[in-house]
Amino acid sequence: MERWPWPSGGAWLLVAARALLQLLRADLRLGRPLLAALALLAALDWLCQRLLPPPAALAVLAAAGWIALSRLARPLRLPVATRAVLITGCDSGFGKETAKKLDAMGFTVLATVLELNSPGALELRACCSPRLRLLQMDLTKPADIRRALEFTRAHTTSTGLWGLVNNAGLNDIVADVELSPVATFRTCMEVNFFGALELTKGLLPLLRHSKGRIVTVGSPAGDMPYPCLAAYGTSKAAMALLMDSFSCELLPWGIKVSVIQPGCFKTESVRNVSRWEQRKQLLLANLPQELLQAYGEDYIEHSHGQFLHSLTLALPDLSPVVDAITDALLAARPRRRYYPGRGVGLMYFIHYYLPEGLRRRFLQNFFINPCLPRALRPGQDTPQALKPNPNPSPVAAR
């Protein structure tokens, strides 16, 4: 097949000049990702010259270049100006660090904390500007939420409310569903779902007026069945689905909704090993004797030890999550989902594209790989409560 002639040297200079202009307009950071993309484009150009006719080759190169530029270009950011943001759960972790960064950028930050005299609250008072306002709020108490709504309206009369960051969250237990009291599920739902729902609904009139943003910190445990995190994961799953509903319903109002799904980071709650030890002892003390016999105390100790080991792998730098929250607040076109943290992308690829057995083994090896319950181990007597009834009653047989 006769091939079309490729552009002459002068034409290639013109193409290169236009490409350079496009690079400058794209506001790219010079670094390894950009250099790698340019090398791949050069290799693709070499292949196209030998395998494709010029029109098809130019189409492939144009598409590849556009994809590379769109992935590597810095997103267009809105100015901070006088924007105000309410952030929940600023006592520690992501909330505290986000409050500090947004305050330094010039935002008016309304930061809620559980205790006004907590170390995190005192740190925010000491290092932030007078624009930052602290408010005590417990998401399980409707009176606190009503007070937070009144506080927000009073402090945003001149600026309006641009964004809400639902960061406050609670994980109260690490155990199998059968071993977890139903009360722990209710507690997680009260904080992670119902409290955030009530606060978000109450602030919607202000957010509709500003065409603002809702940013919610979720968890991969809400998307995939992490061992021993059912109480926490179900509440985060409910919250993620709620945010998807808000995203569709609030689109005509101009409100953009984003969910941050971070990996494991070394926040204060992760570092607090004594708290997890207390939670384990409380679980053992209140576990029904039948379950304790069936599973065994060593089963719970093993899961607890594996959980603590997984926490040692947590990332100490919280800035990827803080940057994701900032981008969701200020990007002209924020993403609906952000996945900050090492290995999170691989985790989601495995979850969505590999067979169920491989997904389960990956989560067990990555997080908690439970041992066999005592009653199922060879040579162990089956507890009386687990033995089948040889003479079932007619009612039981139905």
Side-chain angles (χ1 to χ4, degrees):
M1 183 178 68
E2 182 181 357
R3 297 187 182 276
W4 291 16
W6 281 81
S8 63
W12 274 116
L13 286 176
L14 180 60
V15 171
R18 288 178 176 172
L20 180 60
L21 181 61
Q22 185 65 29
L23 287 174
L24 293 174
R25 285 178 177 170
D27 191 21
L28 294 169
R29 294 182 177 91
L30 183 61
R32 281 190 225 171
L34 176 58
L35 295 176
L38 292 176
L40 288 173
L41 287 174
L44 182 62
D45 174 44
W46 183 84
L47 286 173
C48 288
Q49 290 187 48
R50 284 152 182 78
L51 301 176
L52 297 174
L58 288 173
V60 170
L61 284 172
W66 180 83
I67 292 172
L69 288 175
S70 63
R71 291 289 183 181
L72 295 173
R74 300 176 187 176
L76 180 63
R77 289 284 184 89
L78 303 175
V80 173
T82 58
R83 301 182 195 273
V85 177
L86 173 68
I87 310 172
T88 65
C90 295
D91 301 84
S92 62
F94 303 138
K96 184 182 71 175
E97 296 304 317
T98 301
K100 288 161 67 175
K101 177 171 181 177
L102 296 185
D103 176 75
M105 292 175 66
F107 277 90
T108 297
V109 177
L110 310 179
T112 76
V113 292
L114 269 176
E115 300 288 343
L116 288 173
N117 292 319
S118 67
L122 296 176
E123 181 182 342
L124 289 175
R125 278 201 190 97
C127 70
C128 293
S129 73
R131 289 190 309 275
L132 184 136
R133 304 297 182 92
L134 289 173
L135 172 68
Q136 188 278 328
M137 183 181 71
D138 183 341
L139 281 172
T140 65
K141 298 178 179 178
D144 281 14
I145 296 175
R146 287 193 297 271
R147 186 157 41 84
L149 296 176
E150 295 169 2
F151 181 89
T152 304
R153 296 186 195 104
H155 286 85
T156 58
T157 52
S158 59
T159 62
L161 179 68
W162 171 251
L164 164 64
V165 179
N166 287 311
N167 167 72
L170 173 71
N171 181 19
D172 212 27
I173 193 169
V174 178
D176 289 24
V177 175
E178 189 175 16
L179 304 178
S180 304
V182 174
T184 60
F185 283 80
R186 290 198 177 100
T187 302
C188 283
M189 288 296 290
E190 283 294 334
V191 176
N192 301 340
F193 180 76
F194 288 113
L197 169 62
E198 187 174 352
L199 180 67
T200 304
K201 282 174 60 70
L203 293 175
L204 283 181
L206 297 178
L207 293 169
R208 282 192 281 105
H209 185 266
S210 66
K211 298 184 180 357
R213 304 290 169 86
I214 300 173
V215 183
T216 298
V217 178
S219 169
D223 288 333
M224 52 193 83
Y226 272 63
C228 301
L229 286 187
Y232 179 70
T234 50
S235 65
K236 288 297 186 179
M239 195 61 183
L241 184 58
L242 174 68
M243 290 299 117
D244 286 341
S245 298
F246 273 142
S247 181
C248 296
E249 296 170 1
L250 299 176
L251 190 60
W253 297 95
I255 298 176
K256 294 182 172 63
V257 180
S258 298
V259 177
I260 316 295
Q261 304 283 57
C264 187
F265 287 84
K266 197 164 288 185
T267 59
E268 279 80 350
S269 63
V270 168
R271 291 198 295 261
N272 193 350
V273 177
S274 62
R275 174 181 175 271
W276 295 114
E277 183 65 29
Q278 291 172 3
R279 301 305 304 174
K280 182 200 70 176
Q281 295 298 338
L282 186 63
L283 172 67
L284 287 170
N286 292 282
L287 202 63
Q289 193 62 29
E290 173 195 333
L291 287 178
L292 190 58
Q293 290 179 359
Y295 282 85
E297 184 175 339
D298 57 335
Y299 178 91
I300 297 172
E301 292 285 356
H302 174 82
S303 298
H304 178 73
Q306 292 221 326
F307 172 69
L308 293 183
H309 173 71
S310 73
L311 298 186
T312 64
L313 307 176
L315 302 174
D317 181 14
L318 307 187
S319 63
V321 180
V322 175
D323 292 343
I325 294 172
T326 305
D327 188 77
L329 288 169
L330 286 179
R333 298 177 63 184
R335 304 177 201 168
R336 290 183 64 178
R337 289 287 192 278
Y338 291 82
Y339 301 98
R342 188 174 58 219
V344 179
L346 173 63
M347 189 187 311
Y348 273 90
F349 175 84
I350 291 172
H351 176 68
Y352 286 123
Y353 297 109
L354 294 190
E356 191 273 337
L358 291 177
R359 298 200 305 264
R360 184 176 64 252
R361 282 198 292 273
F362 171 78
L363 282 177
Q364 289 175 344
N365 292 329
F366 171 77
F367 189 58
I368 294 177
N369 190 7
C371 64
L372 202 62
R374 177 189 294 168
L376 299 179
R377 296 170 199 164
Q380 294 289 331
D381 292 333
T382 304
Q384 187 66 34
L386 299 179
K387 292 180 180 178
N389 186 354
N391 299 307
S393 65
V395 174
R398 281 203 292 269

